[in-house]
mmCIF file of all heavy atoms in Angstrom:
data_model
loop_
_atom_site.group_PDB
_atom_site.id
_atom_site.type_symbol
_atom_site.label_atom_id
_atom_site.label_comp_id
_atom_site.label_asym_id
_atom_site.label_seq_id
_atom_site.Cartn_x
_atom_site.Cartn_y
_atom_site.Cartn_z
ATOM 1 N N ASN A 30 71.123 186.115 89.468
ATOM 2 C CA ASN A 30 71.328 185.972 90.914
ATOM 3 C C ASN A 30 71.326 184.528 91.408
ATOM 4 O O ASN A 30 71.459 184.292 92.607
ATOM 5 C CB ASN A 30 70.235 186.732 91.658
ATOM 6 C CG ASN A 30 70.287 188.225 91.382
ATOM 7 O OD1 ASN A 30 71.345 188.827 91.417
ATOM 8 N ND2 ASN A 30 69.141 188.807 91.104
ATOM 9 N N TYR A 32 72.436 180.691 92.188
ATOM 10 C CA TYR A 32 73.598 179.870 92.509
ATOM 11 C C TYR A 32 73.298 178.424 92.134
ATOM 12 O O TYR A 32 72.138 178.017 92.043
ATOM 13 C CB TYR A 32 73.909 179.943 94.008
ATOM 14 C CG TYR A 32 74.645 181.183 94.428
ATOM 15 C CD1 TYR A 32 74.021 182.434 94.419
ATOM 16 C CD2 TYR A 32 75.970 181.114 94.853
ATOM 17 C CE1 TYR A 32 74.702 183.572 94.810
ATOM 18 C CE2 TYR A 32 76.658 182.244 95.248
ATOM 19 C CZ TYR A 32 76.009 183.470 95.224
ATOM 20 O OH TYR A 32 76.691 184.596 95.609
ATOM 21 N N THR A 34 73.812 174.517 93.268
ATOM 22 C CA THR A 34 74.057 173.750 94.483
ATOM 23 C C THR A 34 73.853 172.266 94.191
ATOM 24 O O THR A 34 72.948 171.904 93.451
ATOM 25 C CB THR A 34 73.076 174.188 95.593
ATOM 26 O OG1 THR A 34 73.130 175.611 95.737
ATOM 27 C CG2 THR A 34 73.430 173.553 96.916
ATOM 28 N N TYR A 36 73.477 168.321 95.936
ATOM 29 C CA TYR A 36 73.196 167.511 97.124
ATOM 30 C C TYR A 36 73.364 166.038 96.783
ATOM 31 O O TYR A 36 73.209 165.624 95.635
ATOM 32 C CB TYR A 36 71.769 167.752 97.629
ATOM 33 C CG TYR A 36 71.594 169.045 98.385
ATOM 34 C CD1 TYR A 36 71.459 170.254 97.714
ATOM 35 C CD2 TYR A 36 71.602 169.062 99.776
ATOM 36 C CE1 TYR A 36 71.318 171.441 98.403
ATOM 37 C CE2 TYR A 36 71.461 170.242 100.484
ATOM 38 C CZ TYR A 36 71.317 171.431 99.789
ATOM 39 O OH TYR A 36 71.193 172.601 100.482
ATOM 40 N N GLN A 38 72.130 162.090 98.159
ATOM 41 C CA GLN A 38 71.157 161.399 99.003
ATOM 42 C C GLN A 38 71.369 159.890 98.947
ATOM 43 O O GLN A 38 71.377 159.288 97.876
ATOM 44 C CB GLN A 38 69.723 161.723 98.590
ATOM 45 C CG GLN A 38 68.692 161.125 99.552
ATOM 46 C CD GLN A 38 67.256 161.366 99.145
ATOM 47 O OE1 GLN A 38 66.936 161.503 97.978
ATOM 48 N NE2 GLN A 38 66.371 161.413 100.138
ATOM 49 N N SER A 41 66.844 156.188 102.126
ATOM 50 C CA SER A 41 66.200 156.378 103.438
ATOM 51 C C SER A 41 66.893 157.433 104.298
ATOM 52 O O SER A 41 66.743 157.421 105.522
ATOM 53 C CB SER A 41 66.143 155.055 104.215
ATOM 54 O OG SER A 41 65.367 154.114 103.496
ATOM 55 N N GLN A 42 67.649 158.322 103.674
ATOM 56 C CA GLN A 42 68.264 159.427 104.410
ATOM 57 C C GLN A 42 67.893 160.744 103.752
ATOM 58 O O GLN A 42 67.536 160.788 102.579
ATOM 59 C CB GLN A 42 69.787 159.287 104.443
ATOM 60 C CG GLN A 42 70.285 158.100 105.245
ATOM 61 C CD GLN A 42 71.801 158.108 105.376
ATOM 62 O OE1 GLN A 42 72.445 159.155 105.255
ATOM 63 N NE2 GLN A 42 72.369 156.940 105.603
ATOM 64 N N GLY A 43 68.015 161.833 104.515
ATOM 65 C CA GLY A 43 67.796 163.143 103.945
ATOM 66 C C GLY A 43 68.954 163.555 103.047
ATOM 67 O O GLY A 43 70.079 163.071 103.219
ATOM 68 N N PRO A 44 68.707 164.426 102.082
ATOM 69 C CA PRO A 44 69.800 164.919 101.232
ATOM 70 C C PRO A 44 70.872 165.611 102.065
ATOM 71 O O PRO A 44 70.600 166.172 103.132
ATOM 72 C CB PRO A 44 69.088 165.920 100.310
ATOM 73 C CG PRO A 44 67.664 165.489 100.285
ATOM 74 C CD PRO A 44 67.397 164.977 101.668
ATOM 75 N N ARG A 45 72.086 165.559 101.532
ATOM 76 C CA ARG A 45 73.210 166.172 102.221
ATOM 77 C C ARG A 45 73.911 167.113 101.258
ATOM 78 O O ARG A 45 74.233 166.735 100.125
ATOM 79 C CB ARG A 45 74.167 165.092 102.701
ATOM 80 C CG ARG A 45 75.302 165.566 103.584
ATOM 81 C CD ARG A 45 76.076 164.368 104.139
ATOM 82 N NE ARG A 45 76.828 163.685 103.107
ATOM 83 C CZ ARG A 45 78.131 163.816 102.885
ATOM 84 N NH1 ARG A 45 78.827 164.666 103.612
ATOM 85 N NH2 ARG A 45 78.737 163.128 101.933
ATOM 86 N N PHE A 46 74.159 168.331 101.700
ATOM 87 C CA PHE A 46 74.818 169.356 100.888
ATOM 88 C C PHE A 46 76.223 168.900 100.522
ATOM 89 O O PHE A 46 76.960 168.376 101.348
ATOM 90 C CB PHE A 46 74.874 170.653 101.701
ATOM 91 C CG PHE A 46 75.633 171.774 101.062
ATOM 92 C CD1 PHE A 46 75.000 172.678 100.243
ATOM 93 C CD2 PHE A 46 76.990 171.949 101.316
ATOM 94 C CE1 PHE A 46 75.690 173.743 99.676
ATOM 95 C CE2 PHE A 46 77.696 173.001 100.747
ATOM 96 C CZ PHE A 46 77.037 173.896 99.931
ATOM 97 N N GLN A 49 78.451 174.356 96.585
ATOM 98 C CA GLN A 49 77.681 175.419 95.940
ATOM 99 C C GLN A 49 78.651 176.354 95.245
ATOM 100 O O GLN A 49 79.740 176.618 95.761
ATOM 101 C CB GLN A 49 76.861 176.193 96.977
ATOM 102 C CG GLN A 49 76.081 177.368 96.390
ATOM 103 C CD GLN A 49 75.182 178.030 97.412
ATOM 104 O OE1 GLN A 49 74.053 177.605 97.644
ATOM 105 N NE2 GLN A 49 75.682 179.083 98.022
ATOM 106 N N TYR A 87 71.815 165.425 93.238
ATOM 107 C CA TYR A 87 70.859 166.418 92.756
ATOM 108 C C TYR A 87 71.555 167.754 92.490
ATOM 109 O O TYR A 87 72.324 168.241 93.311
ATOM 110 C CB TYR A 87 69.776 166.683 93.802
ATOM 111 C CG TYR A 87 68.902 165.505 94.146
ATOM 112 C CD1 TYR A 87 69.194 164.721 95.256
ATOM 113 C CD2 TYR A 87 67.781 165.204 93.388
ATOM 114 C CE1 TYR A 87 68.385 163.646 95.600
ATOM 115 C CE2 TYR A 87 66.969 164.134 93.730
ATOM 116 C CZ TYR A 87 67.275 163.361 94.834
ATOM 117 O OH TYR A 87 66.471 162.301 95.168
ATOM 118 N N LEU A 89 70.696 171.691 91.945
ATOM 119 C CA LEU A 89 69.651 172.690 92.171
ATOM 120 C C LEU A 89 70.165 174.055 91.754
ATOM 121 O O LEU A 89 71.334 174.387 91.982
ATOM 122 C CB LEU A 89 69.277 172.778 93.658
ATOM 123 C CG LEU A 89 68.422 171.691 94.284
ATOM 124 C CD1 LEU A 89 69.203 170.417 94.502
ATOM 125 C CD2 LEU A 89 67.843 172.186 95.598
ATOM 126 N N VAL A 91 69.449 177.857 92.643
ATOM 127 C CA VAL A 91 68.801 178.539 93.759
ATOM 128 C C VAL A 91 69.015 180.035 93.648
ATOM 129 O O VAL A 91 70.141 180.501 93.536
ATOM 130 C CB VAL A 91 69.377 178.044 95.099
ATOM 131 C CG1 VAL A 91 68.635 178.674 96.253
ATOM 132 C CG2 VAL A 91 69.304 176.527 95.178
ATOM 133 N N GLY A 92 67.899 180.768 93.693
ATOM 134 C CA GLY A 92 68.020 182.214 93.620
ATOM 135 C C GLY A 92 67.368 182.864 94.810
ATOM 136 O O GLY A 92 67.319 182.286 95.901
ATOM 137 N N TYR A 93 66.862 184.067 94.590
ATOM 138 C CA TYR A 93 66.128 184.725 95.663
ATOM 139 C C TYR A 93 64.877 183.917 95.980
ATOM 140 O O TYR A 93 64.369 183.203 95.166
ATOM 141 C CB TYR A 93 65.730 186.136 95.240
ATOM 142 C CG TYR A 93 66.874 187.098 95.159
ATOM 143 C CD1 TYR A 93 67.035 187.917 94.062
ATOM 144 C CD2 TYR A 93 67.805 187.183 96.191
ATOM 145 C CE1 TYR A 93 68.095 188.805 93.984
ATOM 146 C CE2 TYR A 93 68.866 188.064 96.117
ATOM 147 C CZ TYR A 93 68.998 188.882 95.012
ATOM 148 O OH TYR A 93 70.028 189.760 94.937
ATOM 149 N N GLY A 94 64.398 184.113 97.161
ATOM 150 C CA GLY A 94 63.225 183.335 97.558
ATOM 151 C C GLY A 94 63.671 182.127 98.341
ATOM 152 O O GLY A 94 64.851 181.843 98.495
ATOM 153 N N ASN A 95 62.719 181.406 98.808
ATOM 154 C CA ASN A 95 62.999 180.355 99.770
ATOM 155 C C ASN A 95 62.441 179.027 99.303
ATOM 156 O O ASN A 95 62.023 178.210 100.108
ATOM 157 C CB ASN A 95 62.376 180.759 101.110
ATOM 158 C CG ASN A 95 63.303 180.512 102.262
ATOM 159 O OD1 ASN A 95 64.436 180.074 102.089
ATOM 160 N ND2 ASN A 95 62.824 180.794 103.446
ATOM 161 N N LYS A 96 62.450 178.813 97.987
ATOM 162 C CA LYS A 96 61.863 177.599 97.435
ATOM 163 C C LYS A 96 62.951 176.827 96.713
ATOM 164 O O LYS A 96 63.304 177.161 95.586
ATOM 165 C CB LYS A 96 60.727 177.954 96.469
ATOM 166 C CG LYS A 96 59.942 176.763 95.965
ATOM 167 C CD LYS A 96 58.765 177.240 95.096
ATOM 168 C CE LYS A 96 57.924 176.064 94.639
ATOM 169 N NZ LYS A 96 56.788 176.513 93.805
ATOM 170 N N LEU A 97 63.524 175.846 97.372
ATOM 171 C CA LEU A 97 64.577 175.031 96.789
ATOM 172 C C LEU A 97 63.944 173.754 96.263
ATOM 173 O O LEU A 97 63.470 172.921 97.030
ATOM 174 C CB LEU A 97 65.646 174.712 97.838
ATOM 175 C CG LEU A 97 66.627 175.836 98.159
ATOM 176 C CD1 LEU A 97 65.965 176.946 98.946
ATOM 177 C CD2 LEU A 97 67.817 175.295 98.918
ATOM 178 N N VAL A 98 63.989 173.602 94.943
ATOM 179 C CA VAL A 98 63.286 172.503 94.283
ATOM 180 C C VAL A 98 64.293 171.482 93.769
ATOM 181 O O VAL A 98 65.215 171.833 93.034
ATOM 182 C CB VAL A 98 62.423 173.039 93.123
ATOM 183 C CG1 VAL A 98 61.786 171.892 92.364
ATOM 184 C CG2 VAL A 98 61.365 173.992 93.657
ATOM 185 N N PHE A 99 64.086 170.233 94.156
ATOM 186 C CA PHE A 99 64.925 169.134 93.699
ATOM 187 C C PHE A 99 64.352 168.553 92.406
ATOM 188 O O PHE A 99 63.142 168.371 92.277
ATOM 189 C CB PHE A 99 64.981 168.021 94.754
ATOM 190 C CG PHE A 99 65.824 168.354 95.948
ATOM 191 C CD1 PHE A 99 65.364 169.229 96.914
ATOM 192 C CD2 PHE A 99 67.081 167.790 96.114
ATOM 193 C CE1 PHE A 99 66.137 169.546 98.019
ATOM 194 C CE2 PHE A 99 67.865 168.091 97.217
ATOM 195 C CZ PHE A 99 67.392 168.973 98.166
ATOM 196 N N GLY A 100 65.237 168.243 91.475
ATOM 197 C CA GLY A 100 64.831 167.537 90.267
ATOM 198 C C GLY A 100 64.890 166.043 90.494
ATOM 199 O O GLY A 100 64.922 165.572 91.633
ATOM 200 N N ALA A 101 64.947 165.306 89.405
ATOM 201 C CA ALA A 101 64.945 163.847 89.494
ATOM 202 C C ALA A 101 66.286 163.293 89.965
ATOM 203 O O ALA A 101 66.359 162.192 90.505
ATOM 204 C CB ALA A 101 64.587 163.249 88.147
ATOM 205 N N TYR B 31 65.711 179.708 108.794
ATOM 206 C CA TYR B 31 64.851 179.276 107.688
ATOM 207 C C TYR B 31 64.549 177.803 107.891
ATOM 208 O O TYR B 31 65.448 176.992 108.118
ATOM 209 C CB TYR B 31 65.557 179.487 106.343
ATOM 210 C CG TYR B 31 65.873 180.922 106.043
ATOM 211 C CD1 TYR B 31 67.038 181.509 106.530
ATOM 212 C CD2 TYR B 31 65.012 181.700 105.280
ATOM 213 C CE1 TYR B 31 67.335 182.825 106.261
ATOM 214 C CE2 TYR B 31 65.303 183.024 105.008
ATOM 215 C CZ TYR B 31 66.461 183.580 105.502
ATOM 216 O OH TYR B 31 66.746 184.884 105.234
ATOM 217 N N TYR B 33 62.167 174.247 106.564
ATOM 218 C CA TYR B 33 61.546 173.644 105.382
ATOM 219 C C TYR B 33 60.948 172.283 105.725
ATOM 220 O O TYR B 33 61.446 171.573 106.597
ATOM 221 C CB TYR B 33 62.605 173.405 104.290
ATOM 222 C CG TYR B 33 63.385 174.617 103.881
ATOM 223 C CD1 TYR B 33 64.454 175.083 104.641
ATOM 224 C CD2 TYR B 33 63.076 175.302 102.699
ATOM 225 C CE1 TYR B 33 65.181 176.195 104.260
ATOM 226 C CE2 TYR B 33 63.804 176.415 102.312
ATOM 227 C CZ TYR B 33 64.854 176.855 103.093
ATOM 228 O OH TYR B 33 65.570 177.963 102.713
ATOM 229 N N TYR B 35 59.945 168.863 103.320
ATOM 230 C CA TYR B 35 59.926 168.173 102.039
ATOM 231 C C TYR B 35 59.316 166.795 102.260
ATOM 232 O O TYR B 35 59.292 166.287 103.376
ATOM 233 C CB TYR B 35 61.359 167.971 101.512
ATOM 234 C CG TYR B 35 62.036 169.206 100.987
ATOM 235 C CD1 TYR B 35 62.663 170.098 101.859
ATOM 236 C CD2 TYR B 35 62.069 169.482 99.622
ATOM 237 C CE1 TYR B 35 63.292 171.236 101.368
ATOM 238 C CE2 TYR B 35 62.701 170.612 99.130
ATOM 239 C CZ TYR B 35 63.303 171.482 100.011
ATOM 240 O OH TYR B 35 63.928 172.599 99.525
ATOM 241 N N GLN B 37 59.103 162.720 100.337
ATOM 242 C CA GLN B 37 59.615 161.836 99.287
ATOM 243 C C GLN B 37 58.812 160.549 99.318
ATOM 244 O O GLN B 37 58.933 159.758 100.265
ATOM 245 C CB GLN B 37 61.106 161.566 99.481
ATOM 246 C CG GLN B 37 61.737 160.805 98.333
ATOM 247 C CD GLN B 37 63.243 160.737 98.458
ATOM 248 O OE1 GLN B 37 63.796 160.669 99.549
ATOM 249 N NE2 GLN B 37 63.941 160.760 97.328
ATOM 250 N N LYS B 42 61.257 161.450 93.609
ATOM 251 C CA LYS B 42 62.173 162.537 93.950
ATOM 252 C C LYS B 42 61.730 163.250 95.223
ATOM 253 O O LYS B 42 60.612 163.061 95.724
ATOM 254 C CB LYS B 42 62.256 163.530 92.797
ATOM 255 C CG LYS B 42 60.978 164.295 92.553
ATOM 256 C CD LYS B 42 61.152 165.273 91.401
ATOM 257 C CE LYS B 42 59.904 166.115 91.218
ATOM 258 N NZ LYS B 42 60.036 167.081 90.106
ATOM 259 N N VAL B 43 62.627 164.064 95.739
ATOM 260 C CA VAL B 43 62.336 164.872 96.924
ATOM 261 C C VAL B 43 61.474 166.050 96.487
ATOM 262 O O VAL B 43 61.859 166.812 95.598
ATOM 263 C CB VAL B 43 63.659 165.382 97.547
ATOM 264 C CG1 VAL B 43 63.373 166.261 98.738
ATOM 265 C CG2 VAL B 43 64.551 164.209 97.933
ATOM 266 N N PHE B 45 59.415 169.590 97.340
ATOM 267 C CA PHE B 45 59.289 170.739 98.236
ATOM 268 C C PHE B 45 57.832 170.888 98.678
ATOM 269 O O PHE B 45 56.913 170.829 97.868
ATOM 270 C CB PHE B 45 59.748 171.995 97.491
ATOM 271 C CG PHE B 45 59.497 173.280 98.214
ATOM 272 C CD1 PHE B 45 60.385 173.740 99.172
ATOM 273 C CD2 PHE B 45 58.379 174.050 97.921
ATOM 274 C CE1 PHE B 45 60.164 174.939 99.834
ATOM 275 C CE2 PHE B 45 58.150 175.249 98.576
ATOM 276 C CZ PHE B 45 59.046 175.695 99.533
ATOM 277 N N SER B 48 58.328 176.445 102.928
ATOM 278 C CA SER B 48 59.420 177.068 103.652
ATOM 279 C C SER B 48 58.831 178.091 104.617
ATOM 280 O O SER B 48 57.738 178.627 104.387
ATOM 281 C CB SER B 48 60.420 177.728 102.701
ATOM 282 O OG SER B 48 59.775 178.685 101.894
ATOM 283 N N TYR B 50 59.811 181.322 107.453
ATOM 284 C CA TYR B 50 60.802 182.286 107.949
ATOM 285 C C TYR B 50 60.079 183.378 108.709
ATOM 286 O O TYR B 50 59.006 183.820 108.302
ATOM 287 C CB TYR B 50 61.592 182.877 106.782
ATOM 288 C CG TYR B 50 62.471 184.048 107.148
ATOM 289 C CD1 TYR B 50 63.625 183.852 107.904
ATOM 290 C CD2 TYR B 50 62.143 185.345 106.755
ATOM 291 C CE1 TYR B 50 64.423 184.923 108.261
ATOM 292 C CE2 TYR B 50 62.942 186.415 107.117
ATOM 293 C CZ TYR B 50 64.081 186.208 107.864
ATOM 294 O OH TYR B 50 64.873 187.261 108.216
ATOM 295 N N SER B 55 56.954 181.374 103.821
ATOM 296 C CA SER B 55 57.518 182.244 102.795
ATOM 297 C C SER B 55 57.276 181.692 101.388
ATOM 298 O O SER B 55 57.102 182.457 100.447
ATOM 299 C CB SER B 55 59.005 182.491 103.033
ATOM 300 O OG SER B 55 59.702 181.284 103.170
ATOM 301 N N GLU B 56 57.268 180.394 101.230
ATOM 302 C CA GLU B 56 56.948 179.774 99.945
ATOM 303 C C GLU B 56 56.208 178.462 100.215
ATOM 304 O O GLU B 56 56.456 177.822 101.237
ATOM 305 C CB GLU B 56 58.221 179.438 99.153
ATOM 306 C CG GLU B 56 59.170 180.588 98.900
ATOM 307 C CD GLU B 56 58.988 181.233 97.535
ATOM 308 O OE1 GLU B 56 58.031 180.870 96.824
ATOM 309 O OE2 GLU B 56 59.789 182.100 97.191
ATOM 310 N N LYS B 57 55.342 178.076 99.308
ATOM 311 C CA LYS B 57 54.732 176.752 99.409
ATOM 312 C C LYS B 57 54.460 176.213 98.021
ATOM 313 O O LYS B 57 54.323 176.968 97.062
ATOM 314 C CB LYS B 57 53.447 176.795 100.245
ATOM 315 C CG LYS B 57 52.352 177.667 99.676
ATOM 316 C CD LYS B 57 51.131 177.629 100.599
ATOM 317 C CE LYS B 57 50.016 178.484 100.019
ATOM 318 N NZ LYS B 57 48.797 178.424 100.879
ATOM 319 N N MET B 89 58.095 159.601 103.073
ATOM 320 C CA MET B 89 59.075 160.063 104.047
ATOM 321 C C MET B 89 59.005 161.581 104.054
ATOM 322 O O MET B 89 59.013 162.210 102.993
ATOM 323 C CB MET B 89 60.477 159.596 103.651
ATOM 324 C CG MET B 89 61.541 159.984 104.636
ATOM 325 S SD MET B 89 61.509 158.970 106.116
ATOM 326 C CE MET B 89 62.669 157.699 105.632
ATOM 327 N N PHE B 91 60.785 165.022 105.277
ATOM 328 C CA PHE B 91 62.056 165.559 105.750
ATOM 329 C C PHE B 91 61.886 167.010 106.180
ATOM 330 O O PHE B 91 61.293 167.816 105.459
ATOM 331 C CB PHE B 91 63.120 165.519 104.644
ATOM 332 C CG PHE B 91 63.544 164.139 104.252
ATOM 333 C CD1 PHE B 91 63.160 163.603 103.032
ATOM 334 C CD2 PHE B 91 64.354 163.375 105.085
ATOM 335 C CE1 PHE B 91 63.559 162.334 102.648
ATOM 336 C CE2 PHE B 91 64.753 162.098 104.720
ATOM 337 C CZ PHE B 91 64.350 161.583 103.503
ATOM 338 N N ARG B 95 68.285 176.112 107.675
ATOM 339 C CA ARG B 95 69.524 176.742 107.232
ATOM 340 C C ARG B 95 69.694 178.090 107.928
ATOM 341 O O ARG B 95 68.736 178.701 108.394
ATOM 342 C CB ARG B 95 69.554 176.933 105.725
ATOM 343 C CG ARG B 95 68.618 177.971 105.168
ATOM 344 C CD ARG B 95 68.903 178.188 103.687
ATOM 345 N NE ARG B 95 67.968 179.143 103.096
ATOM 346 C CZ ARG B 95 68.203 180.440 102.995
ATOM 347 N NH1 ARG B 95 69.331 180.961 103.460
ATOM 348 N NH2 ARG B 95 67.314 181.237 102.423
ATOM 349 N N GLY B 100 74.848 185.191 100.100
ATOM 350 C CA GLY B 100 74.688 184.885 98.681
ATOM 351 C C GLY B 100 74.291 183.451 98.493
ATOM 352 O O GLY B 100 74.774 182.571 99.191
ATOM 353 N N GLY B 101 73.422 183.193 97.556
ATOM 354 C CA GLY B 101 72.930 181.845 97.334
ATOM 355 C C GLY B 101 72.054 181.402 98.486
ATOM 356 O O GLY B 101 71.758 182.174 99.380
ATOM 357 N N ALA B 102 71.674 180.159 98.481
ATOM 358 C CA ALA B 102 70.804 179.649 99.537
ATOM 359 C C ALA B 102 71.605 179.022 100.647
ATOM 360 O O ALA B 102 71.068 178.729 101.696
ATOM 361 C CB ALA B 102 69.825 178.635 98.989
ATOM 362 N N GLY B 103 72.891 178.817 100.450
ATOM 363 C CA GLY B 103 73.682 178.184 101.488
ATOM 364 C C GLY B 103 73.307 176.727 101.655
ATOM 365 O O GLY B 103 72.637 176.139 100.807
ATOM 366 N N GLU B 104 73.672 176.179 102.750
ATOM 367 C CA GLU B 104 73.526 174.757 102.993
ATOM 368 C C GLU B 104 72.259 174.480 103.783
ATOM 369 O O GLU B 104 72.071 175.018 104.873
ATOM 370 C CB GLU B 104 74.740 174.252 103.760
ATOM 371 C CG GLU B 104 74.693 172.780 104.118
ATOM 372 C CD GLU B 104 75.973 172.313 104.793
ATOM 373 O OE1 GLU B 104 76.943 173.108 104.873
ATOM 374 O OE2 GLU B 104 76.002 171.155 105.246
ATOM 375 N N LEU B 105 71.416 173.615 103.213
ATOM 376 C CA LEU B 105 70.273 173.101 103.969
ATOM 377 C C LEU B 105 70.723 171.868 104.734
ATOM 378 O O LEU B 105 71.364 170.984 104.171
ATOM 379 C CB LEU B 105 69.138 172.687 103.018
ATOM 380 C CG LEU B 105 67.979 173.658 102.837
ATOM 381 C CD1 LEU B 105 68.457 174.897 102.143
ATOM 382 C CD2 LEU B 105 66.850 173.001 102.088
ATOM 383 N N PHE B 107 69.395 168.638 106.552
ATOM 384 C CA PHE B 107 68.191 167.804 106.608
ATOM 385 C C PHE B 107 68.225 166.874 107.811
ATOM 386 O O PHE B 107 69.281 166.386 108.215
ATOM 387 C CB PHE B 107 68.084 166.947 105.340
ATOM 388 C CG PHE B 107 67.594 167.699 104.137
ATOM 389 C CD1 PHE B 107 68.456 168.493 103.402
ATOM 390 C CD2 PHE B 107 66.267 167.615 103.748
ATOM 391 C CE1 PHE B 107 68.011 169.192 102.291
ATOM 392 C CE2 PHE B 107 65.810 168.307 102.636
ATOM 393 C CZ PHE B 107 66.689 169.100 101.910
ATOM 394 N N GLY B 108 67.029 166.605 108.333
ATOM 395 C CA GLY B 108 66.903 165.572 109.345
ATOM 396 C C GLY B 108 66.857 164.199 108.699
ATOM 397 O O GLY B 108 66.907 164.065 107.466
ATOM 398 N N GLU B 109 66.750 163.172 109.542
ATOM 399 C CA GLU B 109 66.742 161.801 109.050
ATOM 400 C C GLU B 109 65.378 161.379 108.506
ATOM 401 O O GLU B 109 65.261 160.324 107.906
ATOM 402 C CB GLU B 109 67.157 160.844 110.178
ATOM 403 C CG GLU B 109 68.644 160.937 110.531
ATOM 404 C CD GLU B 109 69.523 160.579 109.356
ATOM 405 O OE1 GLU B 109 69.353 159.476 108.790
ATOM 406 O OE2 GLU B 109 70.383 161.392 108.970
ATOM 407 N N ARG B 112 58.946 158.633 108.592
ATOM 408 C CA ARG B 112 58.211 157.831 107.604
ATOM 409 C C ARG B 112 56.759 157.719 108.032
ATOM 410 O O ARG B 112 56.472 157.258 109.140
ATOM 411 C CB ARG B 112 58.812 156.418 107.482
ATOM 412 C CG ARG B 112 58.062 155.549 106.469
ATOM 413 C CD ARG B 112 58.821 154.285 106.098
ATOM 414 N NE ARG B 112 60.082 154.557 105.444
ATOM 415 C CZ ARG B 112 60.225 154.977 104.189
ATOM 416 N NH1 ARG B 112 59.163 155.162 103.430
ATOM 417 N NH2 ARG B 112 61.427 155.180 103.684
#
Side-chain angles (χ1 to χ4, degrees):
Chain A
N30 297 314
Y32 281 70
T34 308
Y36 283 79
Q38 186 183 28
S41 298
Q42 293 187 23
R45 187 173 70 101
F46 175 90
Q49 177 175 275
Y87 297 96
L89 284 74
V91 184
Y93 289 133
N95 224 2
K96 187 176 183 180
L97 283 72
V98 175
F99 286 75
Chain B
Y31 298 85
Y33 304 80
Y35 286 83
Q37 187 171 34
K42 67 179 184 180
V43 178
F45 172 84
S48 58
Y50 170 71
S55 53
E56 304 263 7
K57 62 180 181 178
M89 182 76 92
F91 292 108
R95 70 172 177 93
E104 178 176 354
L105 260 67
F107 283 80
E109 288 299 305
R112 179 167 297 286

